[in-house]
Structure formats: structure tokens, C-alpha cells
Amino acid sequence: MTEEILPTPTTGGTRVPGPPGSRRRPGLVLAIVLTCQTMFILDTSVVNIALPRIQRDMAFSPADLSWVLNAYMLAFGGLLLLGGRIGDIFGQRRALIGGVAVFTVASLAGGLSASAGMLLVARAGQGIGAAVAAPTVLALITIGFPDQAARGRALGAYAAVSGSGAALGLIAGGMLTDWISWRWVLFINVPVGAVLLVSAPLFIAETDRRPGRFDLAGSLTSTLGMTALVFGFIRAAEQDFGDPAALGALGAAVILLALFVAIEARARQPITPLRLFAHRDRATGYLGLLFVMAAGNGMFFFLTQFLQQIRGYDPLKAGLAFVPLTVLILISSHASARLLPRLGAKTLTASGAAAITVGLLWLARLTPSDGYAGSLLGPTLIAGLGMGTLLVGITTVLTSGVRAEDAGAASGLLNVMQQIGGALGLAILVTAFGAATRTAHGTGHHVFTKGATTAFTVGAAFTACTIVLALTMKTRQDPAPEPLRGEESIR
């Protein structure tokens, strides 16, 4: 067994020493970056459980309440590409520390919010901080673990964190909301952020600083385009697709995103190098991940509402209902990391997507009288098994063969698909929910359940698309990574 260390960075030909001991403690480096990933992924879902209490205290309308989630996900996903570029130009450690600092301050401001507007601004601030820091996680793993076996284990841990973070957020949100206040779903980030700000400079060596410029035009068009797209779907959920505001937002989204692609094709240093999509498996993997995150985010959103509004669970009990799912994600991601060399990323991705599809189709049969043990436990366990399996496979596809100078951009794009897929997916599934509830008959419980099961069906269609995409991948084995320049190791 070999011990891998982070490369010693250089700036302008001068070697930059890392902090004492950092080069001999890859385990601590991994623990730090995975703690960051946990905090950012968890914050996407931790607010879910607290939404009824937030709505009551902050006087949100039902439609405006969705922006408590989307303000974070859109800022996070929309600026991730720029965040990846920041890490490449200024160094991954600097980007991580700066992003965590912004995220921590915004979390404190959110917990102290006195109005709905202040809360939404704070949530957007959290998203900005996460957008700068999150791309450094995979970049540091990619650079710091060049050995294939070591990298596979690190990616298995990353997949476990990414896959279970949403469910862990629901559990933590339930505990904090029930025991203290919904404000603590934001305050909890402050001590964690403080620990990260102290430990990162001590144990993470800085990476190469690569001269470059910021693609502000690309960043602006991508962020505005995705925001307009999500707004268009949410507006259609409130009204319908004939609404002028919805049509205008969707039209603007198409124009802005097309302009973004044109800018990236001509930019000297694009935030999204289009060569990342040149590898067929990687391009397929990005799209497949977007579909899975769209379905998964919607599943958590509607299940938490079903448990609290239909089954009468309190926030803590609703959060604990996701413990079995979390355990299955952790177990399956660990097992899949070990099976990766034998089965290959293609098989893991396709089989994981198939399991999630089965779980969603099972949930699509829910009725208002269905209990947890008989109708919810089984499908959530199957979905959890699929999530852990799929994330190991698809993360391996997306991080293999990436050049060192593209590490930040590639990891940023992976996180974009997670966050934008979640935001866009929630908007689409809420639109399907709204259309179903407008034509449903019966009591309020039956109307809600009809809308939720329709959303689960649409989510299953998304993950079925991922199965097809995975099966079209060219090879069974992972593409070999390109050597990282300046890489050093002690064997």
C-alpha cells in the first residue's frame, strides 16, 4: 500500500511550501474536504423539514416558500462554474477558505433574519460561498490521490457523503427544528465553518496557481439563464404554461443559455471548457447525473410534505423516517467502491438508476391512508441502494481522464449538475404537482397525494433516461486519468 501526498505547488517557478505536516496526512485532507461537502450538500435539504415552521414565522406564501430552497440552489449551481475557475486561478485552498468564510457569515445572517427578504438574501449568500468552495473538494481529491486505488477509495467516501447528505439534512433539520428552533438549521453551520477555517490552512497544501482571466460573461449568462428557467417552471406551477410571465422567463432562458454556449465556444479561458464534453462517456454522465438529481430532490421534497401534512408526523419523526434510506446509501456506496474495479462504472451507474426508478414507481402508488412500514420503507430503501451505487459509478466517469488544468472546472461542472438538476427538477416536479392538483377531486389529503404521486412518476421517467444514457457508454471500464503535471508521491 502506498501513501499519496498532495503535489507541492509552484507559483511563477517558485516553490510554495505547504503547512507543516500537511504533506503526510492525506487522511486529514480528505476529512476536511468531505466535511465541506457534507455541509454544502446537507444545507440543500436541511431546510426542507423546517419549511412549515419558516412559513408560519416569516409569513411566506405557499409559492414564495419554494424560494427558500431555490435561492440557495440557484446561487450555488449558477456560480459553481465561476467558483471552479477561482480555484484554478487563485489556488484550491484559497478558494476553499474564502468560500467557507462567506458561507459561514451568510448562515449566521440567515439564522438572525428578521424578515422573509433577509432570509432569502442570506440563503443566496450561502449559495455563493458554497459555489466558490465546493469545486475545490473534487479538485483536491483528484490532485491529492493520483493513485487509482487510493482515488477510488476517496471517491467512494465522496459518493457516500454526496448521496447521504440530503437524507442526513432531513434528520438534522427535524432534530433542530423540534428541539430548538428552525433558525438552528442555519446556525449549526457557524461552528462547523469555524473549525474548517482553522484546520484548512494547517493541513491542506496550496495547489498550483494558474494564470488566467475570469469569464464573467459566461458566468452571468449561465446564472441568469438557469434562474430564468427555474422561475419559468415555478411560475407555470402557480398559473399554467400560458401565463405571459412563465413564457417570457422560459424564452429568456433559452436565449441566455444559447448565448452562454456561444460565449464559451469563443472565450480564451472559458469557465466551462467545451472539451470536457468531448469524451462521450463524460458528456453522457453529466446529463445522467442531472436527471438523477432532479428526481431525487423532488422525492425528498414531496415525501417530507407527505409525512408531515398527510400522516401527521412532527419534524423530528419525519426526519428519522429517512434514517434507513441514509444507512442504505452509506452501505451501497462503500460496497460499490470495492466493486468498481470488477464491474466498471457503466454497470454501477445503470444498475443504480434502475433501483431508483423502481423505488419511485413504487412511491407513485401511494394513497393518503398508506403507512410508513407498509408503503414507504420499502421504496425508500430501494432508492437509497440505487443512489449509493449510482453516485460511485457516475462520479468515477466524470472525474477520470480530466487534465490538471481543468480539475476545478470539471469538479465545478459536476456540482452544477447536482445543484441545478435539483433546482430545475424541483421546479418541473412542482409544475407536474400543480397540474395534477388542479384537476384532482376529493379531500385536501387526496388532492395532495395525487399531485405527489404524479411528481414521483415524472421523477421515475427522469431516472429511466439515466439508465438508457448509462447503457450507451462506450466502455465497461473507467477511462484512464491523464497524468497531473507537477505531481509528486512517496511510495
Side-chain angles (χ1 to χ4, degrees):
M1 185 174 178
T2 61
E3 184 181 46
E4 302 296 337
I5 61 173
L6 288 171
T8 301
T10 59
T11 303
T14 303
R15 197 168 291 277
V16 180
S22 64
R23 292 166 52 84
R24 296 187 295 276
R25 298 183 180 181
L28 277 174
V29 173
L30 184 62
I32 291 169
V33 297
L34 290 184
T35 299
C36 290
Q37 180 72 2
T38 301
M39 186 167 64
F40 300 145
I41 293 296
L42 183 147
D43 221 68
T44 305
S45 64
V46 70
V47 176
N48 254 324
I49 289 290
L51 285 177
R53 302 282 178 89
I54 293 175
Q55 182 178 19
R56 182 192 66 192
D57 290 354
M58 307 299 285
F60 277 103
S61 70
D64 290 341
L65 188 65
S66 65
W67 285 104
V68 178
L69 301 179
N70 283 332
Y72 176 77
M73 289 191 290
L74 284 172
F76 191 175
L79 296 174
L80 266 169
L81 300 175
L82 182 62
R85 197 55 160 156
I86 290 173
D88 287 338
I89 294 176
F90 290 109
Q92 304 296 342
R93 187 180 70 178
R94 288 184 183 88
L96 184 146
I97 293 171
V100 169
V102 172
F103 183 90
T104 303
V105 171
S107 297
L108 179 62
L112 296 173
S113 295
S115 66
M118 183 177 176
L119 177 59
L120 294 182
V121 170
R123 288 288 285 167
Q126 285 183 299
I128 293 170
V132 175
T136 67
V137 174
L138 269 178
L140 289 170
I141 290 175
T142 301
I143 295 171
F145 295 87
D147 177 73
Q148 194 78 327
R151 182 183 295 181
R153 291 190 295 271
L155 288 175
Y158 171 86
V161 164
S162 299
S164 62
L168 289 172
L170 295 171
I171 298 168
M175 291 179 177
L176 294 170
T177 302
D178 238 19
W179 295 348
I180 312 176
S181 163
W182 66 264
R183 295 179 182 275
W184 275 90
V185 303
L186 300 169
F187 284 145
I188 193 64
N189 295 317
V190 177
V192 177
V195 171
L196 291 172
L197 291 174
V198 172
S199 59
L202 292 176
F203 300 111
I204 298 179
E206 186 58 276
T207 60
D208 292 343
R209 294 182 64 179
R210 303 184 184 279
R213 63 181 65 184
F214 292 111
D215 179 14
L216 295 180
S219 179
L220 184 64
T221 52
S222 64
T223 302
L224 293 178
M226 291 309 306
T227 301
L229 188 61
V230 170
F231 176 82
F233 278 108
I234 292 177
R235 180 72 180 185
E238 297 173 338
Q239 306 294 327
D240 56 50
F241 278 104
D243 178 72
L247 290 174
L250 294 173
V254 171
I255 295 171
L256 286 166
L257 294 176
L259 184 59
F260 166 70
V261 173
I263 290 171
E264 297 307 282
R266 297 185 178 186
R268 291 177 57 189
Q269 293 182 325
I271 54 173
T272 307
L274 297 183
R275 60 179 173 268
L276 290 175
F277 298 95
H279 193 291
R280 175 178 169 181
D281 286 1
R282 192 179 300 125
T284 299
Y286 281 130
L287 184 57
L289 180 61
L290 187 145
F291 280 130
V292 168
M293 297 309 298
N297 196 54
M299 182 187 75
F300 284 121
F301 179 79
F302 288 109
L303 278 182
T304 56
Q305 299 299 307
F306 179 86
L307 288 171
Q308 294 186 70
Q309 296 184 14
I310 308 304
R311 301 305 303 164
Y313 284 25
D314 58 38
L316 176 57
K317 188 176 180 180
L320 292 175
F322 291 93
V323 169
L325 180 147
T326 305
V327 172
L328 257 292
I329 291 175
L330 294 171
I331 292 174
S332 60
S333 59
H334 180 73
S336 296
R338 292 181 174 274
L339 291 172
L340 179 62
R342 186 188 313 168
L343 298 180
K346 173 180 178 177
T347 300
L348 292 178
T349 302
S351 58
I356 299 171
T357 303
V358 171
L360 286 167
L361 290 175
W362 191 346
L363 288 173
R365 302 176 59 189
L366 277 178
T367 66
S369 60
D370 283 340
Y372 174 76
S375 301
L376 286 173
L377 180 60
T380 56
L381 288 178
I382 293 174
L385 176 66
M387 288 177 187
T389 302
L390 176 138
L391 284 171
V392 171
I394 210 162
T395 302
T396 301
V397 170
L398 297 180
T399 57
S400 296
V402 177
R403 295 191 291 188
E405 59 266 33
D406 290 336
S411 59
L413 190 55
L414 187 151
N415 281 284
V416 165
M417 293 304 171
Q418 291 181 326
Q419 297 303 319
I420 294 299
L424 182 58
L426 180 57
I428 294 173
L429 295 182
V430 167
T431 302
F433 172 89
T437 56
R438 282 194 290 270
T439 60
H441 302 286
T443 65
H445 284 190
H446 283 89
V447 170
F448 179 90
T449 305
K450 173 63 176 176
T453 54
T454 300
F456 292 142
T457 302
V458 175
F462 287 161
T463 54
C465 290
T466 300
I467 300 174
V468 175
L469 291 169
L471 294 176
T472 64
M473 290 180 180
K474 286 183 178 180
T475 61
R476 177 176 173 271
Q477 299 299 326
D478 308 325
E482 297 179 15
L484 301 173
R485 294 183 299 184
E487 191 172 88
E488 299 177 5
S489 62
I490 293 178
R491 300 188 180 278

